[in-house]
Amino acid sequence: MAPNNSFAVTIEKPNNSFSKTESLESSVFFEKQKAASPKQFTWVLLLKVNRIFACLSWLPMVFRKRIASSDMSDEEPRNRGKLYRLIKAFLVLSIVALGVEVIAHYKNWNLNLVHQPWEVQGLVHWSYMAWLSFRVDYIAPVAIFLSKFCIVLFLIQSLDRLVLCLGCFWIKFKKVKPTIEPDAYDVEDPSSFPMVLLQIPMCNEREVYEQSIAAACQMDWPRDRLLIQVLDDSDDIVLQNLIQDEISSWSQKGINIIYRHRLIRTGYKAGNLKSAMGCEYVKDYEFVAIFDADFTPSPDFLKLTVPHFKGNPELGLVQARWSFVNKDENLLTRLQNINLCFHFEVEQQVNGVFLNFFGFNGTAGVWRIKALEESGGWLERTTVEDMDIAVRAHLNGWKFIFLNDVEALCELPESYETYKKQQHRWHSGPMQLFRLCLPAILTSKISIWKKANLIFLFFLLRKLILPFYSFTLFCIILPLTMFIPEAELPLWVICYVPIFMSFLNILPSPKSFPFLVPYLLFENTMSVTKFNAMVSGLFQLGSSYEWVVTKKTGRSSESDLLALAERESIPTNEEKILRRNSESGLELLSKLKEQEVAPLPKKRKKNGIYRKELALAFLLLTASARSFLSAHGVHFYFLLFQGLSFLVVGLDLIGEQIS
């Protein structure tokens, strides 16, 4: 009786003859190949080899040059903590495994071909055979379980994204949009307009303070029904004087605008807004509009938003959409634009229409002051004070409206360092808030399905599960399965579904379709930052309480530049100060002259090096090499390009480049 482990051996004929059934075209092509000069063919091969070696020699040179000219001090030691050590451990194991697999590949070691112990060729061969048995019996089941668990989370999140897109299609098809009464307020009677407080919180916003103040002062609203508060938390005395001078110039033109500065800057933006709302005169106002310092809303913004409150006493918030003046500045801003267009057009709009609830974006929105007060006002307990107040207002029964056709112009972070810090705050804060708000959600009087939406969709699925599976599945499990083929991920997980979901994400910004593949790769690359932020917020690590002001460049649109040219005939600060002989103006002039004489030495800014991203790049590239040995098509190309994208980000080659 033949043994169960017998196998058949097939011998293929050498490929040096042609079948009689070959087509005429194949024969002609073969004859052309034979006619080619062997010497010419050799030269072609040598040329290709030379190009390959030229590229390989160029890459280390660029790598060394980038490291030598980069600033590694921007990355704090905490960022190279447990997660970084874990990634390095996986990298070391993968490199060792790759070395063993290369040896096994060229020596044709195979567990199925070993029938007797004496057939093992040395200690290394025996170790490899033992590893294969151990892998199949103990490691593969765990890897299969983890991969299936992450795939289930991936499918649930993809289904949620698909439902949101279907809801958006329904809104477009039915042309559903919030409407206002045509004659909400009597234009001839300014007293019919409600009292509106407009707040501009800022902190060391030297590049953008002028344009934001100018946009607020040009609002088309009765002057005696509007008060503008510039809430300056700057710690630069010269900048404080510059802002006060700008405010004074507008005040002399009849604009109702005041300057507020806190001596004790606690609570970041939430503390700033809370302090401003504590003023005695705020009780005379019904609504408050909030704009960050880089926002330049159109003059008709209040007339497009405030009328929605009339006849709707349950409405607490009207949120407008953001648009971006620098969305085409570089690849990083283009990819951010894709994400934010989907966020506003799909997520915010669908949740606003069907649930009357969404997360407040912190700016470009109008609140009913009564809703803020009844919800507890601004709290300093998290770094996402905007989401905090929105959740508490929702628990108190207030409704929200999102206006997709009302836009406020702002700018996107242009450097990866700035964008990374922003994303860390945006993804650690929600986890802080979830821990704090969960008891209040469970004991609130809202319906059960609204509680379920808040807990399972708003927090767990979109704020916790999304960064968890993105990082775990595509950055850890996928490369490790190249060394554990029993747990190999199917093609539809790494290719078909992600491309389809990326296609849905790009639909709100159709001009970005050429960036479909870079967007998919970049989202996976950012998953390490989002995962790290999510964990730090969930477990209250130190980095989750940091607030870093997003760096602005002060870019303006063409309309802003025209308005500024019409408004200011004298561009320099010195000439503006000389128009008035006030004591503060003379003080400012002397300080500016002192700065010109003895400028402060500035630290030269450099592009950074990001170790976690680089470690993941080498892990993915190592896994791609293992995939290449196994002749995996899609797996190899995905790991290769994903590893290269991590390498580009790790070397800070995306976004603003500093020479």
Side-chain angles (χ1 to χ4, degrees):
M1 191 172 184
N4 293 333
N5 58 355
S6 60
F7 58 94
V9 178
T10 59
I11 302 177
E12 294 184 10
K13 293 182 179 180
N15 192 17
N16 57 358
S17 61
F18 288 89
S19 171
K20 294 182 180 180
T21 59
E22 279 187 314
S23 64
L24 179 62
E25 290 82 356
S26 300
S27 300
V28 173
F29 178 73
F30 180 71
E31 291 299 328
K32 287 183 179 180
Q33 279 190 325
K34 286 179 66 178
S37 169
K39 186 176 181 181
Q40 186 179 13
F41 182 69
T42 303
W43 276 110
V44 171
L45 287 179
L46 289 175
L47 181 61
K48 291 183 178 295
V49 171
N50 180 58
R51 288 179 178 176
I52 292 173
F53 277 103
C55 292
L56 292 176
S57 63
W58 174 78
L59 284 174
M61 182 179 65
V62 173
F63 188 75
R64 288 196 301 269
K65 185 177 179 181
R66 168 59 73 175
I67 291 180
S69 62
S70 298
D71 186 7
M72 294 190 183
S73 62
D74 291 337
E75 196 173 7
E76 298 294 335
R78 58 170 173 77
N79 290 335
R80 305 193 297 270
K82 295 181 179 179
L83 181 59
Y84 178 61
R85 290 196 293 270
L86 178 65
I87 296 172
K88 282 203 303 183
F90 281 127
L91 175 60
V92 171
L93 289 175
S94 65
I95 292 175
V96 173
L98 177 62
V100 175
E101 292 289 348
V102 169
I103 296 173
H105 177 76
Y106 284 104
K107 292 197 172 185
N108 295 320
W109 289 347
N110 194 329
L111 184 65
N112 295 329
L113 299 178
V114 178
H115 305 296
Q116 302 296 336
W118 56 80
E119 295 182 16
V120 177
Q121 304 170 6
L123 180 62
V124 178
H125 192 187
W126 180 86
S127 301
Y128 181 69
M129 296 296 108
W131 153 249
L132 292 182
S133 300
F134 181 78
R135 186 187 73 189
V136 171
D137 294 336
Y138 299 102
I139 298 180
V142 177
I144 292 172
F145 172 78
L146 290 177
S147 61
K148 288 184 177 180
F149 177 70
C150 289
I151 289 173
V152 170
L153 297 180
F154 172 51
L155 292 177
I156 293 174
Q157 197 276 332
S158 300
L159 180 61
D160 173 63
R161 189 64 57 97
L162 180 61
V163 170
L164 287 173
C165 290
L166 293 176
C168 184
F169 291 147
W170 186 86
I171 291 172
K172 296 290 185 184
F173 178 74
K174 294 291 185 179
K175 297 181 179 180
V176 178
K177 60 182 295 187
T179 58
I180 57 176
E181 300 176 11
D183 299 323
Y185 304 114
D186 187 2
V187 181
E188 302 295 331
D189 182 16
S191 62
S192 65
F193 287 75
M195 299 286 285
V196 176
L197 181 67
L198 194 152
Q199 296 177 332
I200 310 176
M202 59 177 62
C203 178
N204 297 323
E205 308 281 6
R206 182 183 290 271
E207 297 81 8
V208 295
Y209 74 91
E210 283 186 286
Q211 64 190 44
S212 61
I213 293 174
C217 293
Q218 293 173 4
M219 281 289 173
D220 184 12
W221 199 258
R223 290 189 176 182
D224 60 338
R225 317 295 290 177
L226 175 67
L227 173 63
I228 300 172
Q229 283 183 322
V230 179
L231 312 176
D232 181 29
D233 263 359
S234 303
D235 54 11
D236 185 350
I237 298 178
V238 175
L239 179 57
Q240 294 173 22
N241 289 329
L242 286 171
I243 296 173
Q244 290 182 59
D245 181 71
E246 181 72 14
I247 291 172
S248 297
S249 66
W250 283 104
S251 182
Q252 288 183 359
K253 297 176 183 178
I255 303 298
N256 194 11
I257 182 171
I258 60 174
Y259 175 85
R260 279 184 55 84
H261 177 75
R262 296 189 300 160
L263 296 177
I264 303 176
R265 194 188 128 196
T266 58
Y268 303 113
K269 182 179 175 181
N272 200 359
L273 294 171
K274 181 179 180 180
S275 174
M277 293 300 293
C279 296
E280 182 66 23
Y281 53 80
V282 172
K283 66 177 185 299
D284 299 327
Y285 293 84
E286 189 176 356
F287 305 106
V288 56
I290 303 172
F291 296 98
D292 283 348
D294 61 315
F295 277 72
T296 53
S298 59
D300 60 349
F301 181 88
L302 293 179
K303 287 190 173 180
L304 295 174
T305 54
V306 175
H308 286 275
F309 290 97
K310 189 172 184 180
N312 196 353
E314 295 182 345
L315 183 61
L317 168 67
V318 175
Q319 173 73 59
R321 178 176 177 161
W322 300 357
S323 59
F324 310 104
V325 67
N326 61 337
K327 62 183 179 181
D328 297 324
E329 183 64 25
N330 54 46
L331 178 60
L332 179 62
T333 58
R334 291 177 185 273
L335 299 178
Q336 290 179 70
N337 180 61
I338 295 173
N339 255 342
L340 290 171
C341 284
F342 182 86
H343 169 69
F344 286 110
E345 183 134 356
V346 179
E347 293 178 340
Q348 297 291 75
Q349 186 173 211
V350 170
N351 288 325
V353 169
F354 292 100
L355 301 175
N356 295 122
F357 167 72
F358 46 81
F360 174 45
N361 293 116
T363 178
V366 182
W367 277 94
R368 190 189 296 272
I369 293 180
K370 182 181 178 182
L372 288 176
E373 294 173 345
E374 290 187 356
S375 303
W378 298 104
L379 298 181
E380 307 165 13
R381 56 184 182 172
T382 70
T383 57
V384 284
E385 75 294 326
D386 44 11
M387 186 182 293
D388 189 356
I389 187 63
V391 170
R392 286 183 282 117
H394 179 58
L395 295 179
N396 284 330
W398 292 98
K399 295 181 179 179
F400 303 164
I401 283 179
F402 176 76
L403 303 178
N404 192 54
D405 54 350
V406 180
E407 299 181 355
L409 198 64
C410 63
E411 64 177 70
L412 294 163
E414 295 183 7
S415 69
Y416 178 69
E417 177 191 0
T418 305
Y419 179 63
K420 183 176 181 177
K421 290 177 180 178
Q422 181 198 68
Q423 291 300 303
H424 188 278
R425 176 166 56 86
W426 285 6
H427 286 82
S428 64
M431 289 297 96
Q432 297 175 6
L433 183 61
F434 177 64
R435 297 177 73 259
L436 296 171
C437 282
L438 184 58
I441 295 173
L442 295 175
T443 58
S444 65
K445 296 181 180 179
I446 60 175
S447 61
I448 295 179
W449 72 273
K450 286 186 177 181
K451 292 180 182 180
N453 172 70
L454 265 178
I455 295 173
F456 296 108
L457 292 182
F458 186 76
F459 279 114
L460 291 181
L461 182 60
R462 297 166 189 166
K463 303 297 188 297
L464 188 149
I465 290 178
L466 177 58
F468 171 78
Y469 88 75
S470 297
F471 173 73
T472 307
L473 184 62
F474 294 107
C475 300
I476 299 296
I477 293 179
L478 175 59
L480 291 184
T481 55
M482 294 299 98
F483 302 96
I484 310 172
E486 295 83 3
E488 184 177 304
L489 298 177
L491 285 180
W492 59 269
V493 172
I494 65 171
C495 182
Y496 305 138
V497 175
I499 289 179
F500 178 69
M501 301 313 299
S502 299
F503 174 79
L504 292 180
N505 276 26
I506 288 183
L507 284 179
S509 52
K511 292 183 179 179
S512 301
F513 274 108
F515 303 96
L516 175 65
V517 174
Y519 171 74
L520 171 61
L521 297 174
F522 181 70
E523 280 300 287
N524 290 334
T525 305
M526 284 303 301
S527 66
V528 60
T529 297
K530 297 175 181 179
F531 175 82
N532 191 34
M534 180 269 293
V535 171
S536 66
L538 188 63
F539 297 101
Q540 292 184 302
L541 303 180
S543 60
S544 63
Y545 292 95
E546 288 186 354
W547 179 292
V548 180
V549 177
T550 304
K551 180 185 175 184
K552 316 295 192 309
T553 60
R555 299 190 185 277
S556 301
S557 63
E558 293 181 6
S559 59
D560 295 328
L561 294 174
L562 290 174
L564 185 63
E566 293 176 1
R567 181 174 61 84
E568 289 293 345
S569 58
I570 304 177
T572 63
N573 290 321
E574 183 175 339
E575 291 180 25
K576 286 199 291 182
I577 295 168
L578 289 175
R579 289 182 304 182
R580 300 186 304 278
N581 294 322
S582 64
E583 186 179 351
S584 61
L586 293 174
E587 242 178 60
L588 176 59
L589 177 59
S590 63
K591 287 177 180 176
L592 287 174
K593 286 184 175 178
E594 286 176 7
Q595 278 193 331
E596 291 176 2
V597 174
L600 294 173
K602 292 184 179 179
K603 183 181 177 182
R604 188 170 179 265
K605 185 66 178 174
K606 299 179 181 180
N607 287 93
I609 289 291
Y610 302 98
R611 289 176 170 83
K612 287 194 294 292
E613 285 81 354
L614 286 179
L616 281 168
F618 294 130
L619 173 62
L620 289 162
L621 292 175
T622 303
S624 70
R626 175 63 183 87
S627 178
F628 181 75
L629 291 178
S630 302
H632 290 153
V634 177
H635 291 75
F636 166 72
Y637 287 111
F638 178 85
L639 288 166
L640 175 64
F641 288 113
Q642 188 65 71
L644 292 176
S645 68
F646 267 103
L647 187 63
V648 168
V649 171
L651 294 175
D652 201 6
L653 295 173
I654 188 172
E656 179 186 24
Q657 296 299 301
I658 302 170
S659 58

